[in-house]
Amino acid sequence: MSFRRVLAAGAALPLLTVTAPWAFADDISNDLDATIDAVAEVMPLNVGGDAGTTTLAVTPRNGDGKNGCNLTAATTLTLAIASSDTSVATVSPSSVTFTACSDTKLLTVTPHAEGTATVSARQTANTTGATFDLTRATFTVDAAPPANTAPTLTIAGVTDGASYTKGSVPAATCEVADAEDGPSSYAATLSAVASPYAADGIGSRTASCSYTDGGGLQASSSVTYSIVDATAPVVGYTLTPAAADGDNGWYRNAVTLDWTVTEADSPSSLVLTGCEDTTVTDDQAATEYTCQAASAGGSSDPVSVTLKKDGAAPDVPTVTALPAPNAAGWNNTDVTVSFTDNGDNGPSGVARCTDAVLVDTETDTDGRSVSGTCSDAAGNTSSAAATTVKLDKTAPSTPVLSTLTDGASYDFGSVPAEPTCTATDALSGDAGCVVTGYSTAVGSHTVTATAHDVAGNASTASVTYTVMPYRFSGFYSPVDMGNVLNTVKAGSTVPLKFEVFTSAAELTSTSAIAQFSVREVSCASLGTALSDAVEVTTTGGTALRYDATAGQFVQNWKTPAGAGRCYAVTVTTNDGQTRGPALFKLK
């Protein structure tokens, strides 16, 4: 059975109340519970609280004998949605249209006052030709008094897990949001700092908040953060004296090293490595001292200081003057005075000695004093005893020779006496004049006078002269000279007659004759010498004599016995000259 009512155009369909055995094509239901039934569901709400929602959906029932959904793309179902008491609750939207069985429509219910209201659906348009059960869409709104909502509590200023530098930690505050009591703010409760460095305020800290609202609801929150020392300790030092009092960074006197370590934020965490204050009093080579500090803020870079001390002067240097002076303490050539170190008594080592000094200018009689030093690298100095250099490079005056005349000729026996010499020296003084080369012998001679001063300089002067020999006339008759072989009877006496002259006079003293020499020679060696018999022989003594009447020397030579032998006879005068020979053959 079916009923049909014709309405004026645009008129809404009335809400139909259908009783069994009416058969519905499909159901329109809410989702306030899991079942689709005729029992009206209840939506509890609080006045002033959140709105409630439910979803309307289509469920095919096939009660009209048609399988599946009656809603297609070409058919629609429009419903009016209304609250029975809008003062208690209102619903939106107020109208929904389904175009397919898969359509759903969200209803939002807003409570306004305490009480109960029914939300129901009413068909306003249906182009499907089928009937829909709308009772399952109906539900009751139960609006209770406003609920006491729990407060919301947050902690501001600090963040959970964050790290903050000591001295820069933000203030932690409790921020309360409460719908009933309104917002409020107060300082958070801070725990003690927890860590090995808690005494310095370095470590973990918890900020806690707790709040109970007027309705007795509570909220609490906490955050834990870290307080850190973000700065490593600072290492410094001072030296007393501040700068080295020697050369090249060396200290010659005691030096004190004092370390300073600054750690303002976490002093109890400070750990020092090295950092011992030191006073260096003993000499030492370069020695490194190091200080490194670590704390909760990290580790400093190591700071190093190198100290070296040498307060000992080098050994007294050796002074050497070259060439060495003569026994009188004078030099006559340039003198180099050098200074040589003899080692260093300290660790710095000898750096340098005074450069060698060249004395190349003549001094006075007191000499020139030369001194020098040797210094070590630290600037300690030792001085050598001054040495005195006396320098005379000027030769004495040219010596003057006495008695001899340069280029003169003198007869043997008439040579002037050996000369003397004189010279002067204005600086170191005259050390004497020596004459060499003097001779009275026949020949050319050069006499040299050498004058010396005390410094060893010398000057010379020379005179050349000639000593003339005696003139020898040769043996007179009866003896022949030259390449003549005088023949004479063996055992007879032959008079040897001759004269000797100087350049100006005849010599008459037998002292002018040194000796006669008779030397046997090989007759064969005489070759083809001419022979000439000695016509005159004599008797009497054989001693040399001067015959003043004849004006000649006479030497009687008694010939040896033995015929056939040959002899050479010579005479040597006191001037060293040997005259002859006269050749003889005995018969």
Side-chain angles (χ1 to χ4, degrees), residues 215-435:
L217 296 178
Q218 292 183 334
S220 63
S221 181
S222 66
V223 296
T224 300
Y225 56 91
S226 296
I227 303 172
V228 299
D229 179 357
T231 305
V234 177
V235 175
Y237 66 88
T238 57
L239 292 175
T240 306
D245 56 0
D247 297 338
N248 304 304
W250 285 88
Y251 284 87
R252 291 190 288 179
N253 296 291
V255 55
T256 297
L257 167 64
D258 291 312
W259 295 103
T260 57
V261 179
T262 303
E263 175 50 88
D265 291 336
S266 56
S268 67
S269 68
L270 195 60
V271 176
L272 302 181
T273 302
C275 308
E276 292 86 4
D277 293 341
T278 302
T279 297
V280 179
T281 56
D282 295 332
D283 289 350
Q284 64 180 31
T287 302
E288 185 176 76
Y289 300 86
T290 301
C291 177
Q292 185 171 20
S295 70
S299 179
S300 70
D301 291 331
V303 176
S304 295
V305 180
T306 298
L307 298 178
K308 49 187 181 178
K309 179 181 177 298
D310 183 356
D315 290 340
V316 175
T318 298
V319 184
T320 304
L322 292 176
N326 61 19
W330 282 88
N331 288 84
N332 59 14
T333 59
D334 294 349
V335 178
T336 299
V337 181
S338 57
F339 305 91
T340 306
D341 71 86
N342 287 315
D344 183 27
N345 291 325
S348 65
V350 175
R352 65 179 302 274
C353 293
T354 300
D355 292 337
V357 177
L358 176 65
V359 180
D360 57 357
T361 302
E362 290 183 326
T363 68
D364 57 20
T365 54
D366 292 330
R368 174 181 170 183
S369 179
V370 180
S371 60
T373 61
C374 283
S375 300
D376 60 19
N380 300 298
T381 300
S382 290
S383 298
T387 187
T388 299
V389 177
K390 295 195 290 185
L391 179 62
D392 178 1
K393 298 194 291 184
T394 303
S397 65
T398 302
V400 176
L401 283 164
S402 64
T403 70
L404 293 175
T405 301
D406 188 43
S409 294
Y410 301 101
D411 289 330
F412 179 80
S414 298
V415 179
E418 182 176 4
T420 60
C421 65
T422 58
T424 59
D425 187 84
L427 183 53
S428 60
D430 179 20
C433 190
V434 177
V435 176

